[in-house]
Amino acid sequence: MENKKLIDVFLETNALLQGHFLLTSGRHSNQYFQCAKVLQYPNHTTDICSIIADYFKDMQIDTVISPAIGGIVVGQEVARQLNKKFIFAEREDKNLKLRRGFELKEGENVLVCEDVVTTGGSVFEVIDIVKQNKANLVGVGMIVDRSNGKVNFGVPQVSTLQMEVISYLADECPMCKEGTPAIKPGSRKV
Ligand code: ZN
C-alpha cells in the first residue's frame, strides 16, 4: 500500500485528525493521531499489518511480542500473517511483564510489534524482557513512527507510516493567531 493511500485510510477512519489541538504537553498542533480508530476495522488492520509481515517474512521468527494495550492488535495480526506464536507484555506495578504463563525461551527469535512509537519507551521495555530471557531480538515493526526517524532500536525496523509531529508553544501557534480555538482530544496518548 502506498503512503498516500495509507494516509487516506487514517483520515477516513478519523485516526488522523487535522485541525487545531491542545496536546497534553501544553503545546498546540495541527494534527492529532489515535491509531485505535483505524484498527477498529479488521480489513484495514490486515492491510496495514501486511506491510510489517512482508518486511519480516524471510527472517527467522518464532514469536511476535507486543506491549499491551495498543500493540496487541498489531502483534496478533502480524503473527497471524506470519503463522507464528503471539504473546504480549502488560503493566504490573508500572513495569511491563510477561504474565498469563507467557514465556520466552533462550535463543527464541522474537519480533516486537507496536502501534505508535514516539519515544519508543514501551518497545525498549519489551526489548529488555527479550534480553532478560536470553531470547534473540530479530526486529521491530510499528504502524506509525512519530519520532521523526529518531528512534533506533538497533535491529531491522519498519514502520508503515512516518509522521512528523509538528507542535508549537501556545504563544507561537499560527492557528491561535488565526483566532481558531484549540481542541483537547479525548486521549492522553498524544
Ligand atoms: Zn494554538
Side-chain angles (χ1 to χ4, degrees):
M1 207 186 322
E2 57 200 272
N3 222 27
K4 168 77 175 70
K5 194 174 160 222
L6 196 57
I7 288 171
D8 286 346
V9 171
F10 286 110
L11 287 169
E12 276 165 25
T13 57
N14 288 330
L16 179 60
L17 300 176
Q18 292 178 324
H20 182 193
F21 302 101
L22 173 62
L23 308 183
T24 46
S25 61
R27 295 174 69 92
H28 292 197
S29 180
N30 63 347
Q31 284 188 333
Y32 177 73
F33 189 76
Q34 175 50 271
C35 201
K37 296 279 269 184
V38 72
L39 301 178
Q40 293 178 107
Y41 305 101
N43 58 332
H44 289 325
T45 305
T46 300
D47 288 349
I48 293 164
C49 290
S50 72
I51 298 169
I52 299 172
D54 282 351
Y55 186 85
F56 291 104
K57 69 179 188 299
D58 295 326
M59 295 188 203
Q60 188 73 43
I61 292 163
D62 301 308
T63 300
V64 178
I65 183 171
S66 294
I69 294 174
I72 291 179
V73 175
V74 181
Q76 167 73 43
E77 177 59 21
V78 171
R80 188 189 69 79
Q81 293 186 22
L82 293 172
N83 194 24
K84 303 298 178 189
K85 191 173 80 179
F86 171 70
I87 62 175
F88 58 87
E90 58 198 301
R91 291 210 182 273
E92 185 185 56
D93 306 327
K94 292 189 178 173
N95 297 311
L96 282 175
K97 289 176 184 169
L98 292 181
R99 299 178 67 190
R100 303 166 198 263
F102 290 151
E103 54 185 8
L104 288 172
K105 294 195 168 66
E106 187 171 344
E108 191 167 339
N109 296 303
V110 181
L111 171 65
V112 179
C113 286
E114 173 66 304
D115 59 348
V116 182
V117 166
T118 306
T119 62
S122 297
V123 172
F124 281 117
E125 269 190 78
V126 172
I127 289 172
D128 282 343
I129 293 171
V130 173
K131 288 178 177 167
Q132 281 158 20
N133 287 279
K134 298 189 172 70
N136 176 38
L137 178 69
V138 174
V140 176
M142 57 208 133
I143 293 190
V144 184
D145 179 358
R146 303 207 68 186
S147 78
N148 304 343
K150 288 190 195 80
V151 172
N152 182 350
F153 297 108
V155 286
Q157 64 185 66
V158 66
S159 55
T160 67
L161 190 66
Q162 301 80 44
M163 277 178 44
E164 199 177 357
V165 184
I166 299 167
S167 65
Y168 308 93
L169 289 169
D171 292 352
E172 296 165 2
C173 174
M175 288 85 74
C176 281
K177 288 191 177 116
E178 285 167 12
T180 63
I183 295 162
K184 190 169 190 171
S187 167
R188 61 178 283 279
K189 196 168 184 180
V190 176

